[in-house]
Amino acid sequence: MSFEWRYVVRPDGSFWRTPNIDGSLDSMTDEELQRMGSVLDRHRDDEEPACSQCGREVVLHWRTPAPGAMLELCEDCDGHRPAAADLIRWKRDPARRAVDLPLLFAMWETEAMGWVYMGPESAP
């Protein structure tokens, strides 16, 4: 069984991802996934929550695959970390949206969780 993520990026830079197990979503266009995501938007907060460390607005909050773990990306608290800084630049600058989001996100999630990024080539 193969597993990878499909990402859907909205024009404002917000995004969501969904599992693409055994290529089950390969036949879906980005537009079809976007329509599917519009259902999720009804349950999406309009504002990002405040940073739990400094109280300022976060750039991104994300529930990880690890049960119950919630990640925050705060420019003030995390901007000095390499993967976090790259993802902040991607989110803030629409011109950077051509940069590979799945890799940027995987690197940030890895950095934030303290995991070791192995990359897709090391998958069993």
Side-chain angles (χ1 to χ4, degrees), residues 20-112:
N20 187 17
I21 299 168
D22 287 336
S24 61
L25 300 177
D26 287 352
S27 64
M28 290 186 76
T29 66
D30 287 344
E31 291 78 20
E32 290 170 325
L33 284 171
Q34 185 68 37
R35 280 194 298 274
M36 191 169 96
S38 67
V39 172
L40 296 174
D41 283 342
R42 287 185 237 152
H43 304 290
R44 191 175 115 194
D45 295 332
D46 289 333
E47 295 181 15
E48 298 288 353
C51 175
S52 61
Q53 296 178 54
C54 71
R56 294 189 175 99
E57 181 181 348
V58 297
V59 176
L60 174 71
H61 70 277
W62 197 267
R63 184 167 308 284
T64 69
M70 182 63 93
L71 298 180
E72 299 172 336
L73 179 58
C74 174
E75 194 163 2
D76 293 330
C77 297
D78 303 316
H80 65 283
R81 297 162 65 202
D86 285 344
L87 189 56
I88 290 167
R89 281 191 296 277
W90 181 92
K91 182 107 167 75
R92 297 270 190 229
D93 183 2
R96 291 188 49 87
R97 303 266 165 78
V99 175
D100 188 23
L101 174 62
L103 179 60
L104 284 177
F105 188 82
M107 296 302 289
W108 169 70
E109 189 175 44
T110 299
E111 180 180 79

